[in-house]
Amino acid sequence: MKVQSAFLLSVPRKWIYAFAFASIVLIAGFAATGEAHAQTYYVSSSDPGRSDSGPGTSVSAPWATLTKVSSVTFNAGDTILLKKGDTWTGETLYLKGSGTSSNWITLSSYGTGARPRITPYTSEAAIPAADPTNVANNGIMYGIRLQNNAGWKIVGIEIAYTKMGIVYTNDNTANKDGLWIEDCYVHNIAKWPIHPYPSADTRAAELQYAAYSIGIYAHGRHLDSGLYGHLQNITIKNTTINNTDAPLDVGWADNITIDAITAKDSYREGVQFGHVNYDGSGPFVGSFTNSRILRSGYLYGFAWGSAGLQFNAVHHFTVDNVEIGSTKAPDGPDGVGVDFEGLNTDVTVQNSYIHDNDGDAFMLTRNGFWGRNEVTGMPIENANTSIIGNYIVNNGLKIDPNQPHAAFMVHGWNLGNGGTISGNTIVKASASQALNNIFERTPRLTESMPRDHVYANNIVKLPGGDIIHYAATGFYKTQGAAGWSYLVNGSTNAVWQEAPAPNDYDDAGTTQSYGIPYDYAPNANWQYGQGYWKSSAGGMQIGDNWLLPDVGQAAHRVWTSDGIKKIRITGTAKKADVSGGDGVDVKIVKNNDATPLWSGTLAYNDATGLSHDITLMVKSGDKISFIASAKSSATGDKTEWNPVIEEVQEPGQSIYTSQVPNNFFADARYDLGTKFKANVSGTITKVRIYTKDAESGIHTVRIWNAATGAMLLPKAYDWDIPGGTAGWKEFTLPVPLAISADTDYIVSVTNSPDLYYADTQHGFDSPINNGNLITYAASGVGSTTLGTMPSITYLNSSFFRDIVFVPTPSQTIFTTQTPDYYFYDAQYELGTKFKTSVAGKITKVRIYTNGVETGTHMVRIWNVATGTMILPTAYSWSVPTGAAGWKEFTLPTPQAISANTDYIVAVSTGTDKLYADTQHGFDSPINNGSLVTYAASGVGTTSLGTMPTSTYLNSNLFRDIVFVAD
């Protein structure tokens, strides 16, 4: 590929290593006393001058073996440097001596090349088989081992092909200070003797502290019996851990910072935190940020269950911007994304991407086996565990009749939590998938949320992007929450009735005060209550998925639209109590319309019910009421009804259609993009690129305002593209991006470290336009400075960066109306007078024709007040014959119109004179969404080309528009 020099501009990167040596001699009085000096030691397995007999303090005469390093006890401030490019096999590195978090002992590297490698064996296959009773038969078990020695900083080391990677344990009562691991690569850690759960652990005592092989294991105590000191001030960053039984396990530790780690392809479990910031003197905090956990447990899973990220007895901890995906459970239960297993307090998972897990996205349980107070021995529930602002998509994938999975949460008797669940977007794997699996409910699979959290602004979507509002999901103790309100007779607010606290947790049958449970599951006497809305006087009640009217008190569950949208209302109303009574009247009403959208009567014993399926346009402030009314008696009137309001998305549009690249190049790292605009407002839901089959790895997604240079997404998104077949790959934006009409944007996606990208030179010699999306000549842009808005062009290349754009939902005046007559008495200019409640654009004009109407029709739109035709020109439209129905003409340029301004859309008849007509069709206005008409809005004239104003019998002449609000 010949590339313009400016486009290939790059700056060489060099790493400069500076090593400072210092010694201080302190002379006090008449005597000189030598104190320990910070010293630097060098180790090489390849240097000709290497020798374990020397001091190892010079680059020219380094030590040779890890055995030599393991024999020395180091002091705070010392540095041990392993030569880059060298490998040590057949050895473990034991680190002795202690520094502090303010004066580390450092293990790092010198020279140039790849990280130094500690590989006790030459491959994973060469690691000896696990022997649970004879420790010696397990061979070399560790890469790096620290026992009771802290204050170490380990930077830039590769550890592989052993049973445990980096291991810290402590078996005394003193707290230890400091462990720092940075820029390390730990992989292929396997064959530790496995815990025989659920059987008793009969392994040799030395093996019992770990259940399986772990990449990085840092526990402040050695075994589960007895209390020991904690390891404090842990940092692990910029580290990759692949192909282990479990990548990372941190426990009995305080003050933890984990950042920018990647953990992939673990065989049994994911990342685990246990007893963190717990039982200590504090205040302690912990964080896990900017990281990725993928394909945990993919080979085996584990008998007690697998999770991408697990918390057990963790306090004051925040997870932020962590991707947790594709957790598997092939030979065990769970396979969840995030597991709050028990005893967790003030733990928050936020701004993270939880996707494609076998199990539910989140698990909250009060696990009496794992989560017990160490003093009382009682299981303790999670408290104030929060789930905020996450993108949760395509979870609960494993089909397991013994353990059904849901899209969002599995919840086991974890009441009184008090945490916040807000701002999350949850995308179901299918429309029929349950949202939650709540043990304490019957049935367990439900659209309801567990009680005792604070809920706000969560969005549930279907795979295609439609937002769904289940009545049960939005049910909460605050009027208006999630758009739902609860009224008596449609005018009086209902009042909230809190559920009583549950009792009888313990299986001994003794009632305990709430918050002091004794066992994992409740006994047979345990009761689970759910709050509900009720009338202040009388018997009307509204629950999460049921209505109970009283005589003279209709139960109204009301949803309020927050914008212009097309909605579909589905559900089934059926009797929950079939013991008696005289039945229940049910109906759905929009606003206060006299005619309901749907209605029916349930017989007293109708457990099958009546179903509804309605589609309509709504605007901001429109109310949809679901109403149950008693007849002469309210006996047995409890009615199960969990209606669903689905926001129907318009079909998505992309810039590219059938285009494919001419070339694939791999010459440098670039930020590559496409400049575009849309002629109507809408949202970008996905970004897509065309890849060759070998292209893979991390690509970074951004969208820019081309005029201001501002990056518009909440953050740049990392997108891990798997290799495979060539073609379009799509990334779903966690939060769809709203864009304005006629504004220039750039969608950009970097190539990955494999450098591949698609290119068709001269692909943008002319614009590529599709639907409402418009590009320019030279719309393909690039930059060699990653993370900046690309703006350089070369040979008008197309780099196949694209979007999926969903226009703001369109509206029409007419919905289900059809003509009563077709006439052909004269040629007319026929129209409909209308206005809109918001500004926007007319994208199409439409008319209703019979099967034979044809010929040239002229299209015009008029401003009523001024009498001016506002289109650039009158458009000639040749209407084809065919089936009777609506025919549409797309305006070459969408026509902007103002709010609350009267217009007339006019389309002349053809020479065949045919036109549709319903006399008295405008005796009253026809309104839909933001579109408003008047009585006598149907107008006409015999003077072709002039604004029609005459009316006749309030006729509807079926002239209409397609309108998109700004």
Side-chain angles (χ1 to χ4, degrees), residues 482-656:
W484 293 95
S485 301
Y486 311 91
L487 305 176
V488 184
N489 290 329
S491 57
T492 303
N493 280 346
V495 295
W496 177 254
Q497 175 64 54
E498 192 64 73
N503 59 8
D504 280 0
Y505 266 105
D506 65 299
D507 54 12
T510 303
T511 299
Q512 305 295 327
S513 62
Y514 183 52
I516 312 179
Y518 284 151
D519 208 348
Y520 173 67
N523 71 358
N525 296 323
W526 184 80
Q527 299 174 0
Y528 173 78
Q530 187 83 15
Y532 58 91
W533 293 91
K534 67 174 187 175
S535 57
S536 58
M540 189 229 72
Q541 298 177 12
I542 303 173
D544 59 347
N545 63 353
W546 53 269
L547 303 173
L548 177 58
D550 199 0
V551 175
Q553 293 185 339
H556 286 237
R557 188 194 306 271
V558 182
W559 177 81
T560 303
S561 174
D562 62 359
I564 300 166
K565 53 194 71 180
K566 181 180 181 180
I567 63 170
R568 181 185 180 196
I569 308 171
T570 57
T572 299
K574 60 184 178 181
K575 288 296 301 300
D577 182 347
V578 295
S579 61
D582 56 359
V584 177
D585 291 328
V586 291
K587 61 182 176 179
I588 303 173
V589 174
K590 178 183 176 184
N591 298 326
N592 294 314
D593 292 352
T595 302
L597 298 172
W598 172 87
S599 63
T601 297
L602 299 174
Y604 82 92
N605 61 349
D606 188 354
T608 302
L610 301 173
S611 297
H612 50 83
D613 190 340
I614 309 159
T615 299
L616 71 156
M617 292 296 303
V618 292
K619 64 181 183 300
S620 181
D622 280 348
K623 298 180 183 300
I624 305 296
S625 298
F626 302 88
I627 304 169
S629 303
K631 292 180 175 295
S632 60
S633 168
T635 301
D637 278 0
K638 187 173 184 179
T639 301
E640 182 180 328
W641 193 5
N642 181 26
V644 186
I645 296 177
E646 177 181 345
E647 297 183 20
V648 180
Q649 301 294 311
E650 297 289 334
Q653 304 174 22
S654 293
I655 297 165
Y656 297 92

Side-chain angles (χ1 to χ4, degrees), residues 562-837:
D562 62 359
I564 300 166
K565 53 194 71 180
K566 181 180 181 180
I567 63 170
R568 181 185 180 196
I569 308 171
T570 57
T572 299
K574 60 184 178 181
K575 288 296 301 300
D577 182 347
V578 295
S579 61
D582 56 359
V584 177
D585 291 328
V586 291
K587 61 182 176 179
I588 303 173
V589 174
K590 178 183 176 184
N591 298 326
N592 294 314
D593 292 352
T595 302
L597 298 172
W598 172 87
S599 63
T601 297
L602 299 174
Y604 82 92
N605 61 349
D606 188 354
T608 302
L610 301 173
S611 297
H612 50 83
D613 190 340
I614 309 159
T615 299
L616 71 156
M617 292 296 303
V618 292
K619 64 181 183 300
S620 181
D622 280 348
K623 298 180 183 300
I624 305 296
S625 298
F626 302 88
I627 304 169
S629 303
K631 292 180 175 295
S632 60
S633 168
T635 301
D637 278 0
K638 187 173 184 179
T639 301
E640 182 180 328
W641 193 5
N642 181 26
V644 186
I645 296 177
E646 177 181 345
E647 297 183 20
V648 180
Q649 301 294 311
E650 297 289 334
Q653 304 174 22
S654 293
I655 297 165
Y656 297 92
T657 52
S658 59
Q659 299 87 351
V660 294
N662 289 342
N663 306 292
F664 293 96
F665 295 113
D667 53 314
R669 291 297 304 275
Y670 299 114
D671 226 317
L672 301 171
T674 303
K675 183 178 179 181
F676 69 94
K677 69 177 180 180
N679 59 20
V680 296
S681 62
T683 56
I684 298 173
T685 59
K686 298 178 181 180
V687 169
R688 61 184 204 141
I689 67 172
Y690 200 107
T691 70
K692 69 174 300 179
D693 53 1
E695 182 174 350
S696 65
I698 300 295
H699 300 60
T700 303
V701 176
R702 297 176 178 89
I703 299 175
W704 311 82
N705 181 302
T708 66
M711 210 284 283
L712 302 176
L713 298 178
K715 64 179 180 179
Y717 295 113
D718 284 341
W719 176 15
D720 190 1
I721 296 179
T725 57
W728 286 103
K729 308 295 190 303
E730 292 186 339
F731 175 80
T732 300
L733 295 180
V735 180
L737 177 67
I739 62 172
S740 301
D742 300 318
T743 302
D744 287 339
Y745 300 93
I746 292 173
V747 56
S748 72
V749 182
T750 66
N751 58 353
S752 73
D754 67 18
L755 307 184
Y756 285 120
Y757 62 96
D759 187 344
T760 293
Q761 295 175 359
H762 303 287
F764 273 115
D765 281 352
S766 57
I768 298 172
N769 300 332
N770 182 43
N772 298 110
L773 296 173
I774 298 168
T775 65
Y776 306 90
S779 265
V781 289
S783 172
T784 55
T785 304
L786 302 185
T788 63
M789 187 176 75
S791 58
I792 300 170
T793 63
Y794 174 69
L795 294 177
N796 291 341
S797 288
S798 168
F799 300 114
F800 290 83
R801 269 53 184 166
D802 200 358
I803 61 168
V804 175
F805 171 73
V806 178
T808 300
S810 59
Q811 306 170 51
T812 57
I813 298 167
F814 302 109
T815 53
T816 59
Q817 297 86 353
T818 56
D820 288 344
Y821 309 104
Y822 295 97
F823 296 114
Y824 56 96
D825 51 315
Q827 273 200 277
Y828 296 110
E829 192 88 23
L830 303 174
T832 302
K833 181 180 177 181
F834 70 95
K835 68 178 181 180
T836 63
S837 59

Side-chain angles (χ1 to χ4, degrees), residues 24-194:
I24 301 173
V25 177
L26 179 63
I27 302 174
F30 298 99
T33 303
E35 293 186 351
H37 311 314
Q39 186 61 269
T40 300
Y41 302 88
Y42 300 88
V43 190
S44 172
S45 64
S46 65
D47 194 293
R50 68 190 184 278
S51 173
D52 284 347
S53 61
T57 55
S58 73
V59 174
S60 60
W63 288 335
T65 67
L66 303 183
T67 302
K68 174 62 179 178
V69 180
S70 300
S71 70
V72 177
T73 299
F74 297 96
N75 298 308
D78 285 349
T79 299
I80 302 94
L81 301 176
L82 308 184
K83 186 177 181 181
K84 288 187 175 181
D86 282 6
T87 299
W88 288 264
T89 300
E91 298 182 87
T92 289
L93 176 56
Y94 294 89
L95 299 180
K96 298 177 181 177
S98 289
T100 68
S101 60
S102 59
N103 192 13
W104 298 97
I105 305 173
T106 299
L107 173 68
S108 189
S109 60
Y110 72 98
T112 60
R115 296 180 184 93
R117 305 175 77 235
I118 299 174
T119 60
Y121 295 94
T122 56
S123 67
E124 186 174 326
I127 302 171
D131 189 325
T133 58
N134 189 320
V135 175
N137 287 344
N138 288 285
I140 303 168
M141 295 195 295
Y142 306 101
I144 296 177
R145 182 78 163 92
L146 299 94
Q147 177 74 29
N148 301 327
N149 295 300
W152 281 83
K153 180 178 283 191
I154 302 169
V155 180
I157 308 296
E158 180 179 346
I159 301 101
Y161 310 135
T162 186
K163 293 178 187 283
M164 298 287 281
I166 301 174
V167 174
Y168 168 90
T169 58
N170 178 35
D171 59 9
N172 61 52
T173 58
N175 290 336
K176 300 294 184 179
D177 178 24
L179 177 63
W180 185 298
I181 299 171
E182 181 178 358
D183 190 33
C184 289
Y185 178 33
V186 183
H187 61 98
N188 297 97
I189 308 298
K191 301 185 183 178
W192 185 267
I194 302 299

Side-chain angles (χ1 to χ4, degrees), residues 915-932:
Y915 61 96
D917 188 342
T918 293
Q919 294 174 0
H920 302 287
F922 271 117
D923 281 351
S924 58
I926 297 173
N927 301 333
N928 183 40
S930 304
L931 297 172
V932 179

